[in-house]
Amino acid sequence: MTIPPPPAAGAACVRNPGRRSFACGALAMLGGALPAAADSLAEIRPLSRVLELERLRVAIRQDSLARGTSPAPTAASELDLTLARLVADGLGVRLDLVPVAPPDRLVVLHQGHADVSFAGLTITEARVRQALFLNPHARIEYGVVSPDAWPLRGVHDLHGRRVGVVPGDDSMTLAETMLPRDITPRPYPDRAARMAALLGGEVDAIIGSRPELTQALARARATGFAYRFTLRVGWMAGAVRFGQHDLLRAINAILFIARTRGDLSAISEHHLGYTLAQPPQI
Amino acid sequence: MRARRRAWLFGGMAAAVCPSPAIAAVAGGTLGRVLRDGHIRIGVWLEQPPWGYRRADGTAAGTEVDVARLIARGLGVTSTLVPLSLGERTAAVRERRVDLLSATMVILPERLTQLAFAQPHACFDSLLVFPASLNSLGLDDFIGRRIAVRQNTASARLLRARFGAQVALIHTDTYEESVALVRQGSADAASLPDLRHRFFSLTDANYNLTRRLPVGRLSYGLAMHHGEQDLLHTVNTLLMLARQSGELLAIGEREAVMLGGCVRAPT
């Protein structure tokens, strides 16, 4: 299959429900005026309304759209962007992207600012209480990166060490639930700051997802660091608002077709560097 | 009143992290209420070890009980386990006395009109067991013979579907009674779940029903009221997470039963 390219900056920018997005404003300036699709009304749209309006509003991590800026988009974010296009194409509607900060990834659904969220979400128990998840479309590993001078073998080696995380991100949740209690995670405002802290020796290790961490190390041309071990395997999936079962089923059907044709695996290989064998189904 | 007292006795306190009201209000139906109240009522059947039973101290245990607690924890709510008898499980859901059933409910076509089932989380093989002296090679050899089977069970329905009136079914109240009838020569074979056959083999030195034939595989599913789509999807998502993390498998291993590896139900 052909992996669809990410949308142009101007076409991507929509609105920022959480008032945290710099990407949106920057992209509007760079890419021109907001598209007509960027209606500002909050509305809960069932599938019939989406088809009637011929527009699907998809929440996407704001850093997915920050092409050429810092922090750079992660592979997972770019994958989500591809998925958003695939789903909109499958429904035969125009894609309106809604850039969101991590804490707002499900809030936008409740507020009626987006119909579906493909914003770097992995399925967790806490999130299951907040939205309906689509069938998974990618597999992500969360683990630890440290300097070669300190080759970690497992969680027990982290005792007494400084570990960098990003609050509101999965790295913080993992640090709180899986690390020894004598470790106080050091919070950083974003992934770039977390990586800078590792490279600068402020922390002994950082937690994040693979291949995001390894790609960030490669971009920074940082040598002497490596991904050490996996804390948890996560399944990335989109989400819709509670009650939106028609929309859920329609998108799951599109994902089913993509999975059986091998498209999901190709998308995973293109963005993450590995194929997707058989994702679990809900 | 008695049921209420029993419910108190078995009140399981899951680790509770109540969601914010703003978020809980988004879910509809029973799930919305459960998240808002921070509490779920789950029906269990405690007369079917190892799936559900009472420990010596009276507390509820078994794989279905553990799965019930897993769901409550996943929802971030406390739970009350409501002990139900075999015959009142479906009624308890339909009369809204419980929000969810984790009570070895076999997914059967005739039940689908009354209950909505989550994806199967457990399965077992229904067996015909008989002494080595009986020269039978296949199920068709039992045509015209007598089979002892516990009444009102999915295995009894399975036998009726397989043989119709070609066999004489002798209905019993317990598996022990079914086995006793074969020993006495009043029945040619007994219908047992695979686990019960294994249990008798390991614990009863006089158990002589050493030969077995599988009649069919049956699946257990968590059940709820029809129309609870948010709850159904959320339960299925939590089961998927538990399957992927190995937690469902671990629950099964504690009681040596098969969890998580069943065939998916069509959606």
Side-chain angles (χ1 to χ4, degrees):
Chain A
M1 72 165 290
T2 307
I3 306 297
C13 184
V14 188
R15 171 185 352 101
N16 174 26
R19 295 186 180 178
R20 287 188 177 92
S21 171
F22 324 110
C24 186
L27 287 165
M29 285 187 287
L30 287 170
L34 292 177
D39 62 280
S40 57
L41 288 177
E43 179 190 3
I44 308 302
R45 294 180 184 171
L47 176 64
S48 57
R49 182 81 173 134
V50 168
L51 296 176
E52 177 190 313
L53 294 172
E54 297 184 346
R55 329 186 83 93
L56 181 72
R57 300 167 303 170
V58 178
I60 205 97
R61 275 182 76 132
Q62 60 194 23
D63 58 11
S64 315
L65 308 174
R67 191 163 289 277
T69 66
S70 181
T74 66
S77 299
E78 291 186 330
L79 182 146
D80 276 340
L81 215 49
T82 304
L83 256 292
R85 287 177 63 87
L86 184 141
V87 168
D89 286 349
L91 290 174
V93 299
R94 180 173 163 176
L95 173 63
D96 295 343
L97 293 173
V98 183
V100 291
D104 296 329
R105 290 180 286 184
L106 294 174
V107 176
V108 285
L109 298 175
H110 306 149
Q111 292 174 337
H113 289 296
D115 307 309
V116 57
S117 182
F118 276 114
L121 289 165
T122 51
I123 307 177
T124 65
E125 287 185 352
R127 289 179 184 145
V128 163
R129 303 165 201 157
Q130 300 173 43
L132 300 173
F133 275 87
L134 301 162
N135 280 325
H137 60 255
R139 181 180 186 274
I140 291 281
E141 289 178 7
Y142 293 96
V144 177
V145 164
S146 73
D148 287 346
W150 184 41
L152 296 165
R153 288 177 303 278
V155 171
H156 54 278
D157 288 335
L158 286 165
H159 280 293
R161 299 289 184 165
R162 303 162 299 172
V163 179
V165 296
V166 178
D169 209 332
D170 286 312
S171 62
M172 187 69 180
T173 313
L174 283 170
E176 289 171 346
T177 56
M178 300 194 71
L179 296 189
R181 290 179 182 231
D182 65 342
I183 294 175
T184 304
R186 293 199 173 191
Y188 291 92
D190 54 41
R191 293 165 175 171
R194 178 184 57 189
M195 181 57 73
L198 176 72
L199 301 180
E202 262 182 57
V203 293
D204 303 306
I206 59 174
I207 296 177
S209 65
R210 184 161 69 169
E212 174 224 327
L213 290 177
T214 46
Q215 288 176 343
L217 285 172
R219 267 198 305 270
R221 293 187 173 81
T223 54
F225 298 87
Y227 183 92
R228 300 300 172 187
F229 60 89
T230 297
L231 286 167
R232 179 170 74 82
V233 170
W235 291 99
M236 289 183 71
V240 300
R241 195 178 191 274
F242 280 123
Q244 301 284 46
H245 293 274
D246 282 350
L247 185 60
L248 178 96
R249 277 190 279 267
I251 299 176
N252 270 342
I254 292 166
L255 293 175
F256 170 79
I257 293 167
R259 181 163 55 86
T260 50
R261 289 197 330 199
D263 292 352
L264 279 190
S265 189
I267 289 170
S268 172
E269 189 166 19
H270 178 80
H271 290 292
L272 304 178
Y274 47 82
T275 56
L276 184 66
Q278 187 65 37
Q281 305 294 290
I282 293 171
Chain B
M1 185 64 196
R2 193 176 162 206
R4 206 167 163 182
R5 196 166 63 240
R6 281 191 302 175
W8 267 106
L9 280 172
F10 289 97
M13 302 298 285
V17 183
C18 295
S20 71
I23 288 174
V26 176
T30 296
L31 180 64
R33 177 178 53 72
V34 165
L35 293 176
R36 207 165 41 246
D37 296 352
H39 187 77
I40 188 169
R41 302 164 301 166
I42 304 180
V44 292
W45 181 33
L46 301 179
E47 297 156 21
Q48 178 78 326
W51 305 98
Y53 60 93
R54 295 170 197 270
R55 291 196 190 95
D57 63 2
T59 55
T63 50
E64 292 287 271
V65 169
D66 288 344
V67 170
R69 290 180 173 138
L70 179 145
I71 295 296
R73 188 203 68 202
L75 293 172
V77 300
T78 57
S79 62
T80 297
L81 300 182
V82 182
L84 301 168
S85 66
L86 176 64
E88 69 175 326
R89 293 176 298 174
T90 301
V93 175
R94 293 176 64 80
E95 293 162 10
R96 303 278 188 185
R97 284 186 276 139
V98 297
D99 305 309
L100 188 68
L101 270 183
S102 185
T104 57
M105 285 298 283
V106 175
I107 303 174
L108 296 169
E110 58 265 38
R111 284 182 175 153
L112 299 180
T113 58
Q114 299 180 304
L115 299 169
F117 280 90
Q119 288 292 336
H121 62 274
C123 43
F124 68 94
D125 288 323
S126 180
L127 305 175
L128 270 193
V129 294
F130 48 94
S133 56
L134 190 66
N135 188 23
S136 290
L137 298 175
L139 288 178
D140 285 345
D141 293 333
F142 284 88
I143 291 174
R145 293 185 179 269
R146 302 157 301 169
I147 299 174
V149 60
R150 187 173 176 175
Q151 63 183 342
N152 294 325
T153 58
S155 292
R157 289 185 181 86
L158 194 65
L159 284 173
R160 186 54 72 201
R162 173 67 175 76
F163 291 108
Q166 293 179 308
V167 297
L169 293 186
I170 304 170
H171 292 289
T172 65
D173 290 324
T174 63
Y175 296 119
E176 287 81 356
E177 195 185 335
S178 297
V179 170
L181 286 178
V182 181
R183 280 179 180 165
Q184 292 162 13
S186 304
D188 300 303
S191 168
L192 295 182
D194 52 1
L195 275 177
R196 193 52 71 109
H197 170 65
R198 201 188 323 162
F199 176 77
F200 286 145
S201 302
L202 293 171
T203 60
D204 183 352
N206 296 318
Y207 185 71
N208 65 339
L209 309 185
T210 53
R211 298 195 61 194
R212 59 182 184 167
L213 285 172
V215 180
R217 178 164 286 188
L218 296 164
S219 297
Y220 290 139
L222 302 181
M224 64 203 77
H225 210 277
H226 273 304
E228 300 290 352
Q229 292 191 78
D230 282 348
L231 179 63
L232 181 64
H233 189 82
T234 301
V235 165
N236 275 334
T237 310
L238 292 171
L239 288 173
M240 186 277 281
L241 283 178
R243 210 174 274 125
Q244 289 300 312
S245 69
E247 194 171 2
L248 208 52
L249 200 63
I251 287 175
E253 281 176 355
R254 282 204 286 274
E255 304 282 356
V257 303
M258 182 163 45
L259 290 193
C262 310
V263 176
R264 282 175 59 79
T267 52

